[in-house]
Amino acid sequence: MTAALTIDGLNVRFRLRDATVHAVTDLSLTLHRGELLAVVGESGCGKSVLAHAVLDLLPANAATTGTVQFGAGSRPVRELRGRHIGLIPQSPATALTPVRTGRSLLAETLRVHGRATTDADTVAAEAGLDPADLDRYPFQLSGGMAQRLATALAIAPDPAVLLADEPTAGLDRPLVDHTLDLLRRRCAAGTAVMLITHDLTAAQRVADTVAVMYASRIVEHRPADEFFTAPHHPYAAALLDSLPDRAFQPIPGHPPMLTDLPAGCAFAPRCPHASPDCAAQPAISDGAACHHPLSVVGAP
Ligand SMILES: Nc1ncnc2c1ncn2[C@@H]1O[C@H](COP(=O)(O)OP(=O)(O)OP(=O)(O)O)[C@@H](O)[C@H]1O
Ligand code: NI
């Protein structure tokens, strides 16, 4: 498998006046051509910051260490953004230019990337947007329409890596399915897709691999079929158990503040299996960062 995106030892810290937010910690992963990786985890765990760090789009108060590499090359990300790496941003309505119609934005994107501006209707339809809606201004778009326009803008250059941050938010079921099918088709054509989502059912439908984030770290990263049948990390298991079509059990307690993370496993205070070992940060082994992984021989 060919690596399309390699992240090694990524850390992102935001400096606030009197605190530091640990938004992404010691994160390494490889995304391959034709792979669909779902990144899941509770609100605020660092998923969007990860996407922005990959694209080098973090605000000025962010400090980043670690490396991000696309394919085999060493070109800086700013040269690759758009054509080689597309982003479907979370909450796209606020990211659209208010004074331009969808058609004008999409035609420009196509032109800049050497495609015929007449492809706009086809690309819009692929993203599930009625081509007639391209003639609307952003304020005339519903949240779902803006979402699909953002998808059209991201796929128009045919990027090798596509980061989709909650691309199905605000869409009803048929349009969710349309967007998931689109991502799958892109993968089949060789695109590497990182799908950031709250929707574990969607992840289960389309993902090849799943990465679970908790309090700024990846705590589990495994093939999707294995993950959904037998998660190893107690947090991942709890996340799956919270699904309505599973145990429908909420996870007790709250995630820790990212300004005040414990030294060891950040899930330990909520974990039914926590032991004194958890005071030390566990290394990732067999795809999970846990001192007492589930579904592994000898584990509780
Ligand atoms: N510019 C910033 N300055 C300070 N803190 C920030 C900044 N941007 C994000 N954060 C913090 O970083 C953490 C991770 O945020 P992020 O947006 O990545 O969460 P998320 O996992 O995408 O959540 P959601 O599922 O709600 O989108 C949060 O605690 C957030 O408040
Ligand atoms: Ni987010």
Side-chain angles (χ1 to χ4, degrees):
M1 283 194 292
T2 316
L5 167 66
T6 310
I7 304 172
D8 194 23
L10 182 70
N11 288 281
V12 180
R13 305 284 175 260
F14 292 108
R15 285 178 303 271
L16 304 179
R17 193 190 304 262
D18 45 18
T20 301
V21 180
H22 294 236
V24 175
T25 303
D26 202 13
L27 189 149
S28 299
L29 65 81
T30 302
L31 179 61
H32 303 91
R33 287 198 58 195
E35 176 183 346
L36 197 156
L37 165 71
V39 177
V40 302
E42 283 163 294
S43 195
C45 68
K47 306 180 296 294
S48 297
V49 171
L50 167 64
H52 286 97
V54 165
L55 283 162
D56 198 12
L57 287 175
L58 290 169
N61 69 331
T64 306
T65 58
T67 58
V68 174
Q69 184 179 315
F70 293 91
S74 55
R75 283 166 67 190
V77 60
R78 63 176 179 281
E79 291 177 16
L80 300 171
R81 231 183 269 145
R83 183 189 280 290
H84 294 278
I85 319 154
L87 172 69
I88 305 175
Q90 189 169 17
S91 316
T94 50
L96 296 169
T97 317
V99 294
R100 296 179 58 186
T101 63
R103 185 174 302 284
S104 144
L105 292 169
L106 186 54
E108 179 180 308
T109 302
L110 289 165
R111 194 168 46 242
V112 166
H113 296 289
R115 288 186 64 182
T117 53
T118 46
D119 286 350
D121 284 8
T122 319
V123 175
E126 190 186 349
L129 185 67
D130 183 343
D133 291 330
L134 279 180
D135 296 308
R136 295 172 184 251
Y137 286 91
F139 74 90
Q140 296 169 314
L141 298 173
S142 69
M145 285 176 191
Q147 187 66 65
R148 284 168 280 151
L149 174 59
T151 301
L153 290 166
I155 62 172
D158 208 3
V161 178
L162 182 59
L163 308 181
D165 194 353
E166 300 286 356
T168 59
L171 302 184
D172 57 19
R173 197 71 234 178
L175 287 170
V176 167
D177 289 343
H178 187 106
T179 299
L180 296 177
D181 290 346
L182 156 79
L183 297 178
R184 243 344 321 161
R185 271 200 314 278
R186 290 270 153 178
C187 283
T191 305
V193 176
M194 183 190 289
L195 166 66
I196 294 171
T197 184
H198 278 102
D199 185 349
L200 285 157
T201 311
Q204 183 163 17
R205 237 199 73 197
V206 296
D208 299 306
T209 42
V210 178
V212 181
M213 283 184 78
Y214 186 76
S216 84
R217 291 178 186 267
I218 289 182
V219 295
E220 180 154 353
H221 181 188
R222 292 175 53 230
D225 49 354
E226 296 174 18
F227 169 77
F228 283 105
T229 15
H232 283 178
H233 198 286
Y235 173 65
L239 205 57
L240 289 177
D241 278 345
S242 69
L243 291 178
D245 57 353
R246 297 202 182 203
F248 210 13
Q249 286 280 336
I251 310 175
H254 299 281
M257 299 283 289
L258 297 185
T259 47
D260 190 18
L261 287 176
C265 172
F267 188 60
R270 300 170 85 184
C271 182
H273 308 287
S275 69
D277 292 347
C278 306
Q281 183 60 49
I284 291 217
S285 134
D286 283 334
C290 180
H291 290 294
H292 39 69
L294 309 168
S295 319
V296 174
V297 181

